[in-house]
Amino acid sequence: MKLLTHNLLSSHVRGVGPRGFPLRLEATEVRVIPVEFNPDFVARMIPKVEWAALLEAADHLHLAEVPKGPTQGYEQDETFLRKMHHVLLEVEVVEGTLQCPESGRVFPITRGIPNMLLNEEETET
Amino acid sequence: MVRNGFKRQVEARMDHEAAQLEKQHVHDVYESTARYLSDLQGKAWPRVRQFLQDQEPGSLIADIGCGTGKYLKVNSQVYTLGCDYCGPLVEIARSRGCEVMVCDNLNLPFRDQGFDAIISIGVIHHFSTKQRRIRAIKEMARVLVPGGQLMIYVWAMEQKNRHFEKQDVLVPWNRALCSRLLSESSQPGRKKQCGHLERSHPYHPPCSMCSCSVCFKERRDSKRSHSVDYEPVRARTCCANISKEAGEENGFYHTLGKSFRSWFCSRSLDESSLRKQIERVRPLKNTEGWATSTISIQPSRHSSLDRDPQEPFSTREPSSDEDVFVESSQKHLEWLRAPATVKHLRGDHQGETGRNGGGDCLGSTHTPEECAAAGALGEGKPSAPRTLRRISTVDSTDSTPDDTIPVEGQQPDVLDSRAFMRYYHVFREGELCGLLRENVSELHILSSGNDHGNWCIIAEKKETCD
């Protein structure tokens, strides 16, 4: 699971609503998988990122050199873009957990795949 | 109010039953057969590919119901997240280097308005009630940005060369059949062979990934209808995985495997009818599984069955074409009269309580004999076997299955294989559009049409006004 994916995930435990974001990330196994750098692609992603969630997740993974936010003129700032490229796309959580901040419910990440299924009781409306 | 409370209970029960049906006839089937799917990946639907390629570079895209990830790498300029309910399928996609997760379309684990585009290819038709289909679509709309687009593909009821008798169908597939057909015909120039022959337990979902000659032959003969799953192939009975022993605590499936060419009268699993059924249903003898609707099981070929001498009609000779769907000109009828342990799936009467035949055992406590005797009219009086006309019906309540074949008299499945049955709600023309228009006001339909036997729609999330 990449951090860009994590940035989109939210708990859907019944009753939690927007307080289910972001999920608290813990990892027992992390891998770095090189991905071809596409500056245009990364630049376009930047406005879509929820920064606080990204920083929190990066922090839990003990990542260094994570930009705190978009810099002025970031679209042309290759250093910035490369760092963001690395954080968003190259860091993979292989084994870990995602925890709902509101309900405490834990979702596993196994072999890089988050399992977000809930039981029937947990989702009943 | 008491009435509201009761209504909620009924709805909850219906939803639970629907979930059970989907578990048995969608999720468990995919899960059991996933391992065979990676070799059977077909091409992506061109129009879906085009939709993905048309997205802006840097877009965030979700493929809800991604299966083994056929569409996840179509466009390298976008970030595509694949989601599927089936773990094994997702594992396969993962092994191909895709970014994927396991989740439920009905409860998407995403924050609102995160995605620029979403595709839902061959998914919505697996939901067994209208409410669930709406909910699935609304969930996707929720996680779309305003202005973002959603593409949906569902299997069409209207097929060029064949007919679905009902909208709610269980489509089986049969391994032996597929093997035989494969050996009989060959498709020069076809790159993919489904490899049935080599496998001891080849499995092929209806239509999909099956580069099965059955499918190819169909293709040659007609504009392929359907297949929504992974390949533009008609859903047909292909290879069955017989290893799924009715771990089915359920005599139903066991029986079904044996008398595989029969089908039940089907009904729509619509809410109103379902509700009526649930309110009426008495406690089941065997409470496992879904037992409250009647669904059409599309026959595969080799319809010949051993029959009672009293049967007034004869079975159709197996044709050289695997035939999943009813031919509109056919008049034969094969009715499965299930043993007492069999679950009869029941469905929507739409007020025509009498109309449905053998398959429609209104009371779960009816024995199959009673059901058969009750005949189509559900009036509780025995009726002489009548010819069931396999005609395509526009109205899902029309069918009048007339006759039943005693299962007890059945030989073991002639094809000596079991079938996995996958549930589909096939859509009528206009139904998908209607569904969105009436129930999902946050989406605006941009275009719709038919693509190889699938109804397709592209809709856009409306801009929010506040």
Side-chain angles (χ1 to χ4, degrees):
Chain A
M1 185 199 72
K2 298 175 196 282
L3 289 187
L4 181 50
T5 298
H6 168 267
N7 206 252
L8 292 158
L9 292 176
S10 182
S11 166
H12 52 299
V13 169
R14 173 169 45 113
V16 150
R19 297 178 309 282
F21 178 86
L23 293 168
R24 186 193 156 100
L25 174 63
E26 296 294 339
T28 52
E29 186 184 336
V30 177
R31 223 180 275 169
V32 174
I33 314 277
V35 173
E36 192 183 326
F37 176 58
N38 181 336
D40 181 54
F41 178 88
V42 180
R44 288 168 184 273
M45 284 298 164
I46 300 302
K48 300 173 190 179
V49 172
E50 288 284 329
W51 280 91
L54 178 67
L55 294 176
E56 189 185 313
D59 187 57
H60 280 258
L61 298 185
H62 313 295
L63 299 182
E65 296 209 47
V66 180
K68 301 290 183 237
T71 55
Q72 188 76 291
Y74 70 84
E75 296 93 329
Q76 283 76 42
D77 183 343
E78 189 178 318
T79 311
F80 169 83
L81 291 175
R82 282 193 177 272
K83 284 182 184 171
M84 292 308 299
H85 166 82
H86 177 76
V87 170
L88 289 171
L89 303 173
E90 292 188 323
V91 176
E92 299 253 5
V93 177
V94 179
E95 301 288 328
T97 56
L98 295 159
Q99 185 175 38
C100 173
E102 179 78 2
S103 70
R105 211 298 193 170
V106 174
F107 302 93
I109 302 170
T110 314
R111 291 182 291 278
I113 302 168
N115 187 328
M116 308 304 296
L117 294 178
L118 289 172
N119 307 325
E120 219 170 318
E121 306 80 58
E122 290 173 299
T123 54
E124 265 160 29
T125 47
Chain B
M1 312 289 316
V2 171
R3 191 171 291 174
N4 287 343
F6 177 70
K7 179 175 145 95
R8 258 193 290 280
Q9 274 180 43
V10 171
E11 281 169 354
R13 168 90 193 267
M14 274 170 32
D15 201 60
H16 173 77
E17 297 284 357
Q20 287 296 107
L21 170 68
E22 290 157 22
K23 178 180 191 313
Q24 285 166 348
H25 289 296
V26 179
H27 305 311
D28 287 356
V29 176
Y30 278 112
E31 194 151 327
S32 306
T33 55
R35 85 192 80 154
Y36 302 116
L37 302 187
S38 53
D39 291 353
L40 305 173
Q41 276 287 286
K43 308 188 306 259
W45 287 101
R47 280 207 228 162
V48 180
R49 293 182 66 93
Q50 193 58 51
F51 177 82
L52 292 168
Q53 281 157 357
D54 288 347
Q55 299 306 313
E56 291 276 313
S59 292
L60 291 170
I61 302 184
D63 179 348
I64 307 293
C66 66
T68 56
K70 174 158 66 167
Y71 295 112
L72 301 180
K73 296 195 168 187
V74 163
N75 184 343
S76 61
Q77 301 301 302
V78 299
Y79 188 81
T80 310
L81 182 55
C83 312
D84 204 283
Y85 195 99
C86 175
L89 287 177
V90 168
E91 298 271 357
I92 291 169
R94 182 76 188 162
S95 70
R96 299 168 58 224
C98 301
E99 182 74 352
V100 284
M101 51 190 282
V102 177
C103 69
D104 183 350
N105 196 161
L106 297 177
N107 291 285
L108 292 175
F110 301 119
R111 53 179 167 89
D112 293 359
Q113 303 184 11
F115 290 98
D116 298 301
I118 296 179
I119 61 172
S120 168
I121 310 303
V123 178
I124 301 296
H125 58 200
H126 280 312
F127 288 105
S128 55
T129 68
K130 183 178 171 186
Q131 287 313 314
R132 288 166 78 83
R133 296 188 279 271
I134 292 167
R135 197 164 137 207
I137 295 171
K138 284 178 92 75
E139 267 292 274
M140 293 189 288
R142 175 180 71 79
V143 305
L144 256 184
V145 300
Q149 293 184 359
L150 166 63
M151 171 181 260
I152 302 177
Y153 262 56
V154 293
W155 204 1
M157 184 178 190
E158 303 85 346
Q159 297 291 331
K160 284 198 173 115
N161 294 321
R162 31 199 80 225
H163 276 292
F164 281 106
E165 264 198 336
K166 295 295 177 189
Q167 282 193 270
D168 295 283
V169 296
L170 287 175
V171 183
W173 49 94
N174 178 291
R175 172 192 48 146
L177 188 57
C178 216
S179 303
R180 192 171 317 143
L181 289 164
L182 258 188
S183 59
E184 283 166 0
S185 64
S186 61
Q187 286 290 130
R190 264 292 153 187
K191 279 187 290 186
K192 282 195 209 289
Q193 284 302 313
C194 64
H196 295 178
L197 299 175
E198 297 87 340
R199 293 184 174 283
S200 52
H201 288 290
Y203 160 82
H204 302 278
C207 72
S208 30
M209 28 263 309
C210 198
S211 312
C212 177
S213 63
V214 172
C215 312
F216 292 167
K217 183 175 195 310
E218 278 300 322
R219 261 207 240 210
R220 239 194 354 232
D221 300 341
S222 65
K223 286 295 175 183
R224 38 273 140 231
S225 346
H226 156 43
S227 173
V228 190
D229 291 354
Y230 304 106
E231 173 150 80
V233 168
R234 175 202 317 276
R236 19 195 39 262
T237 62
C238 292
C239 304
N241 182 339
I242 60 178
S243 61
K244 180 135 178 165
E245 267 330 12
E248 322 301 13
E249 326 78 315
N250 235 319
F252 175 62
Y253 301 111
H254 191 86
T255 301
L256 221 40
K258 286 183 179 169
S259 40
F260 165 55
R261 309 155 216 80
S262 309
W263 62 95
F264 292 88
C265 165
S266 75
R267 300 239 184 236
S268 160
L269 289 172
D270 247 321
E271 187 180 335
S272 58
S273 57
L274 212 44
R275 188 192 304 263
K276 286 182 215 149
Q277 294 304 326
I278 287 173
E279 287 167 356
R280 270 212 295 262
V281 158
R282 287 174 276 162
L284 304 177
K285 280 181 183 164
N286 181 343
T287 53
E288 300 189 52
W290 172 260
T292 55
S293 1
T294 313
I295 292 179
S296 162
I297 295 172
Q298 299 300 334
S300 71
R301 64 186 269 199
H302 299 311
S303 311
S304 56
L305 287 166
D306 284 335
R307 294 174 160 275
D308 282 347
Q310 303 91 302
E311 301 298 334
F313 42 86
S314 58
T315 1
R316 185 163 71 113
E317 283 307 306
S319 65
S320 57
D321 280 323
E322 146 93 50
D323 190 336
V324 175
F325 309 127
V326 180
E327 293 297 316
S328 51
S329 58
Q330 295 295 340
K331 283 194 172 190
H332 62 278
L333 38 146
E334 287 158 342
W335 274 102
L336 172 63
R337 194 167 66 170
T341 55
V342 164
K343 306 273 157 86
H344 285 279
L345 302 178
R346 108 194 13 264
D348 177 8
H349 288 275
Q350 305 263 4
E352 298 188 44
T353 26
R355 293 279 302 282
N356 257 345
D360 180 32
C361 293
L362 295 182
S364 50
T365 52
H366 283 109
T367 64
E369 287 74 13
E370 285 169 22
C371 290
L377 308 197
E379 286 158 2
K381 45 181 201 269
S383 53
R386 294 183 299 276
T387 300
L388 170 67
R389 294 180 10 136
R390 290 171 76 177
I391 37 181
S392 74
T393 55
V394 174
D395 179 351
S396 67
T397 61
D398 277 352
S399 94
T400 52
D402 303 335
D403 214 319
T404 59
I405 304 166
V407 168
E408 303 82 57
Q410 294 286 314
Q411 297 293 335
D413 190 354
V414 169
L415 298 170
D416 82 350
S417 54
R418 303 289 193 89
F420 276 116
M421 314 269 276
R422 274 200 298 185
Y423 168 84
Y424 292 87
H425 170 87
V426 293
F427 281 70
R428 297 181 193 276
E429 181 168 9
E431 182 182 342
L432 185 59
C433 284
L435 202 65
L436 264 71
R437 260 186 229 114
E438 286 156 33
N439 303 280
V440 193
S441 55
E442 55 269 44
L443 291 176
H444 164 70
I445 298 169
L446 295 178
S447 64
S448 63
N450 188 290
D451 185 12
H452 293 102
N454 302 292
W455 293 117
C456 336
I457 220 173
I458 297 177
E460 186 178 80
K461 173 93 172 266
K462 291 177 183 168
E463 301 286 342
T464 45
C465 304
D466 39 68

